[in-house]
Amino acid sequence: QAPPNGVEGDFVAIAAGHDYSLAMRRDGSGIACWGVNHGQAPPEGVDGDFVAIAAGAFHAMALRRNGNVACWGDNEHGQAPPDGVVG
């Protein structure tokens, strides 16, 4: 599901879920998302000060520099609380 011309940016981490992918920008300023989007790959990306990312089948998470966790995507079983998790 990658765009035919690739994804532009200076990335340091990648993660892949079911039919979608994520890439974290080197400066931590945000995450690029692409692929099939059921909420886990918003085309506008995700803004924030991140140090790590992870991808599940239909949800994604990112660790913020302050220790909090951002979550987005499917939360049918409580795996991705929309308000995140306080660290």
Side-chain angles (χ1 to χ4, degrees):
Q1 293 290 332
N5 295 326
V7 178
E8 206 170 301
D10 187 15
F11 302 110
V12 294
I14 57 172
H18 183 70
D19 292 336
Y20 77 100
S21 300
L22 310 170
M24 186 175 70
R25 299 188 189 291
R26 179 177 300 282
D27 64 4
S29 66
I31 297 168
C33 308
W34 63 93
V36 175
N37 182 28
H38 298 285
Q40 80 278 19
E44 69 278 2
V46 179
D47 291 330
D49 189 14
F50 299 112
V51 296
I53 56 175
F58 299 104
H59 70 288
M61 297 181 286
L63 178 63
R64 295 184 187 278
R65 192 170 306 282
N66 67 4
N68 293 340
V69 177
C71 307
W72 61 96
D74 180 33
N75 188 39
E76 185 176 341
H77 302 288
Q79 72 273 31
D83 293 332
V85 178
V86 176

